[in-house]
Amino acid sequence: MTHRYERVIDVRALARVEGEGAMHVRVRDGAVDDVRLEIYEPPRFFEAFLRGRQHTEPPDITARICGICPVAYQMSACAAIEDACRVTVSPGVAALRRLIYCGEWIESHTLHIYLLHAPDFLGYGSALALAKDRRDLVERGLALKQAGNDLIELIGGRAIHPINVRVGGFYRVPAPRELAPLRERLRAALDQALDTVRWVAGFDFPEFHHDHEMLALCTPGTYPIETGFVTTTGGLSFDVAQFEQHIIEEQVPHSTALHAHLAGRGRYLTGPAARYTLNRHWLTPLAREAAAAAGLGEECRNPYRSIVVRAVETVYAVEEAIRLIDAYEPPPSPAVPVPARAGTGRGATEAPRGTLFHRYDLDPDGRITAARIVPPTSQNQAAIEDDLARFVAGRLDLDDERLTTQCEQAIRNYDPCISCATHFLDLHVERS
Amino acid sequence: MAARRVVIGVGNEYRRDDGFGPRVLAELTARRDGDHRLDGVELRVSDGEPSRMLQAWTGAALAVVVDVAAGGGTGWCEVCLPEDAGPAAPATSGHSIGLGDTIRLARALDRLPCRLVALVAYGHEFGFGTGLSAPVAATIRPVTERICDLVAAP
């Protein structure tokens, strides 16, 4: 038990998260005084340099925001531009978009489960240390991840920052015979995904629960990936067109990410646990069965169990990819024309880490006059900080080293993508 | 069946000298039709993400990695790996897993190629934008020649 007046936990570089961030915790008089998840990775100005670009360019430009989830950026950008131009893609193109997005879910979730998160539960400092002892596990993870990579590469033209995606559809669509070998790989991946659920379900999960409102897209009849109504566990449901009326972003001094909250309601959480809680009944029977066997109930409010939800969603994504391949018929045209027009368009899709919103204002020539991108990690930042404060409050008897380690593990529960969350910070100068 | 040979250009063409690897791969691709030494050689560009690197070189008799390094020096050097994999990187961001850690992971998983060679240019400019600095651009030709020799050697 410590008798110090003040304790400061200061982690200057968080380990095994995507991007670069820090954590500061201050405890004063035995109570948590301040918790800050600091995103210090430099702002990257994407919204600023989208201005003046043509309406056809955001899928290629925004894909560069993230090497882990470029498809999510491309899909939200396409949805927003097509909304502004009043264009609807053909069902075949929509199905192909969902298929490439499945590849990204498989890849991203598996990367996080095996290389970033599982070592925490098994007492290893890194995936490399885990591989030395349990080569079979890491090999399974890499094989599963590879199935996602291959799916993105086949449809997107390459595994990172795909080049085959365009507003209105694709530059080229695959022939069914090109997808056939991938289907066989996905059959093997399904077994690996189910094994992954069983594996992570056996981890030791600390008792910790939150009561944040949770937010995800909802699409009646299917588990949400590339479309849906914005829905919360508190009963809100609104069209993506109203996103900015309900989601308010604000600057905070300690972060290059904006903090988001629900207007009049406060912090909230988006991501796999929110998707599962709001949409579990739309999972496939096999994924639902795997979730139940893994001990997931009707909702998931223990952030440590997010690894189980990711594993279940990986099962779903593999199954969904197989279903889409089986049903695939090349669309009559790889893309529909998207003629320029003046307007504002909004699009939201479910990135692996949660709801990703884009808005573009276009002039009559299709030039972008304003852009806004709201990634999941910045939406989650306030909820993560709140969880950390309560987490620390319940563990003040730990020494600094153990408390620091456990706080880092707690942050990894949310799979924050700090690079995505970095955001331009406006500078206001008051002059008299 | 000829032994599998792969050349992997690591880097980001939009971060100046970091685009060295992809630029060399573009040069090799342009040469392929006129240089029989490149017959059957796989040419890949990579962001360096470990699992993709492992996939690229698993089962290869020879893997040549083309990369750029910061920290002084001029010209380029040839490093035989994995004996000289370099120090472990601090375990921070998933974005910062380096070649050394990737090699260590490959060794743990028994997924190293039979022979792994890195050709590394010394970079100077890593800001935003395309285009290599003059000293790095000057190494494209000798590095490309060296790759052709390496993949042609019995």
Side-chain angles (χ1 to χ4, degrees):
Chain A
M1 172 67 81
T2 180
H3 298 285
R4 284 175 288 173
Y5 170 72
E6 181 175 283
R7 294 174 74 185
V8 176
I9 306 293
D10 192 357
V11 179
R12 296 186 179 180
L14 292 165
R16 283 187 284 124
V17 296
E18 298 302 341
E20 293 164 8
M23 173 186 67
H24 301 278
V25 178
R26 190 168 64 226
V27 179
R28 201 187 294 268
D29 282 342
V32 180
D33 182 57
D34 187 30
V35 170
R36 285 179 283 138
L37 173 61
E38 183 177 295
I39 292 180
Y40 60 74
E41 191 157 314
R44 294 156 77 195
F45 308 111
F46 272 89
E47 288 153 317
F49 63 65
L50 279 162
R51 288 182 213 142
R53 308 301 295 225
Q54 201 57 34
H55 73 300
T56 52
E57 294 184 275
D60 290 323
I61 293 174
T62 60
R64 291 278 171 175
I65 292 175
C66 184
I68 308 295
C69 54
V71 172
Y73 281 94
Q74 293 187 314
M75 295 299 134
S76 288
C78 286
I81 296 290
E82 289 155 14
D83 179 48
C85 297
R86 306 288 186 263
V87 165
T88 303
V89 300
S90 68
V93 164
L96 208 51
R97 284 181 170 176
R98 190 170 172 88
L99 181 58
I100 189 174
Y101 220 142
C102 285
E104 183 155 286
W105 273 29
I106 296 165
E107 180 186 8
S108 176
H109 278 350
T110 309
L111 170 75
H112 185 256
I113 291 168
Y114 280 90
L115 298 186
L116 304 181
H117 206 190
D120 284 343
F121 293 96
L122 300 173
Y124 292 96
S126 69
L128 177 58
L130 174 62
K132 285 175 178 165
D133 276 1
R134 292 299 310 271
R135 176 178 155 178
D136 58 321
L137 293 175
V138 178
E139 280 182 339
R140 184 176 68 198
L142 292 176
L144 181 53
K145 182 175 179 294
Q146 192 58 50
N149 279 356
D150 291 347
L151 196 46
I152 295 173
E153 192 162 3
L154 179 66
I155 301 171
R158 62 183 184 191
I160 49 160
H161 308 311
I163 49 174
N164 189 34
V165 174
R166 57 179 292 188
V167 292
F170 296 87
Y171 290 99
R172 173 190 177 274
V173 294
R177 61 179 162 72
E178 293 177 82
L179 293 172
L182 202 52
R183 188 191 188 286
E184 297 313 305
R185 289 190 63 113
L186 287 165
R187 284 298 312 168
L190 184 56
D191 290 336
Q192 290 155 349
L194 286 165
D195 286 342
T196 303
V197 178
R198 286 188 278 270
W199 174 52
V200 299
F203 291 171
D204 189 17
F205 300 106
E207 278 302 316
F208 185 81
H209 296 84
H210 66 74
D211 59 0
H212 310 307
E213 193 155 359
M214 293 198 273
L215 177 147
L217 297 181
C218 287
T219 307
T222 189
Y223 203 73
I225 300 180
E226 80 290 9
T227 186
F229 266 75
V230 186
T231 307
T232 76
T233 49
L236 269 180
S237 183
F238 52 88
D239 188 88
V240 172
Q242 277 91 51
F243 190 91
E244 291 164 291
Q245 292 165 238
H246 292 277
I247 307 293
I248 310 300
E249 288 186 302
E250 60 188 6
Q251 295 168 8
V252 292
H254 61 269
S255 177
T256 55
L258 296 173
H259 272 212
H261 64 269
L262 279 165
R265 301 165 82 101
R267 63 179 175 269
Y268 67 97
L269 200 59
T270 185
R275 276 197 298 264
Y276 172 83
T277 299
L278 286 156
N279 294 282
R280 66 196 172 282
H281 42 287
W282 296 121
L283 287 167
T284 55
L286 186 62
R288 269 205 309 272
E289 192 181 307
L296 288 176
E298 292 197 347
E299 59 179 16
C300 179
R301 289 190 172 275
N302 181 345
Y304 288 90
R305 288 189 180 273
S306 65
I307 193 169
V308 184
V309 179
R310 283 187 185 87
V312 168
E313 284 195 336
T314 305
V315 170
Y316 175 81
V318 174
E319 276 199 288
E320 182 68 352
I322 292 171
R323 183 189 72 78
L324 288 163
I325 289 173
D326 286 346
Y328 178 66
E329 288 181 17
S333 172
V336 296
V338 185
R341 72 188 294 278
T344 295
R346 300 166 182 85
T349 65
E350 282 293 334
R353 290 162 187 79
T355 309
L356 168 61
F357 172 82
H358 286 215
R359 187 201 77 212
Y360 299 98
D361 296 344
L362 306 181
D363 73 10
D365 296 324
R367 270 194 299 273
I368 296 165
T369 57
R372 187 165 183 219
I373 297 170
V374 184
T377 293
S378 58
Q379 296 179 65
N380 285 342
Q381 199 173 344
I384 296 173
E385 288 181 349
D386 183 75
D387 284 358
L388 270 178
R390 290 185 300 109
F391 180 85
V392 171
R395 289 162 177 77
L396 288 174
D397 56 326
L398 296 177
D399 61 41
D400 284 2
E401 187 179 348
R402 289 184 64 200
L403 186 57
T404 298
T405 301
Q406 291 198 12
C407 283
E408 284 198 86
Q409 292 174 359
I411 288 172
R412 281 193 286 272
N413 288 330
Y414 305 90
D415 190 13
C417 190
I418 288 168
S419 297
C420 289
T422 57
H423 204 288
F424 180 63
L425 188 66
D426 280 324
L427 177 64
H428 297 290
V429 181
E430 290 185 17
R431 301 179 195 277
S432 59
Chain B
M1 188 175 175
R4 183 169 167 247
R5 297 153 296 156
V6 59
V7 183
I8 308 167
V10 180
N12 181 340
E13 68 262 50
Y14 297 106
R15 294 302 295 266
R16 304 292 311 275
D17 285 347
D18 197 38
F20 176 69
R23 181 69 187 80
V24 169
L25 266 286
E27 182 73 18
L28 289 167
T29 304
R31 271 190 187 210
R32 189 193 273 282
D33 287 343
D35 193 330
H36 65 86
R37 292 175 296 177
L38 292 166
D39 290 349
V41 175
E42 290 179 38
L43 303 177
R44 294 184 178 227
V45 173
S46 174
D47 61 348
E49 194 271 315
S51 69
R52 286 194 277 261
M53 294 288 281
L54 260 57
Q55 187 208 4
W57 72 39
T58 297
L62 169 68
V64 181
V65 174
V66 189
D67 205 349
V68 67
T74 55
W76 61 283
C77 65
E78 181 171 329
V79 185
C80 286
L81 300 167
E83 294 78 9
D84 194 12
T92 54
S93 163
H95 293 173
S96 63
I97 297 171
L99 182 58
D101 285 321
T102 302
I103 289 169
R104 277 179 273 275
L105 180 62
R107 184 189 282 130
L109 300 174
D110 196 19
R111 290 182 64 171
L112 281 168
C114 297
R115 186 177 171 211
L116 181 57
V117 177
L119 304 182
V120 181
Y122 295 103
H124 305 274
E125 303 281 347
F126 294 94
F128 298 120
T130 57
L132 305 177
S133 64
V136 170
T139 66
I140 290 174
R141 183 180 290 272
V143 166
T144 304
E145 269 302 317
R146 179 60 185 148
I147 291 169
C148 291
D149 287 343
L150 280 167
V151 298

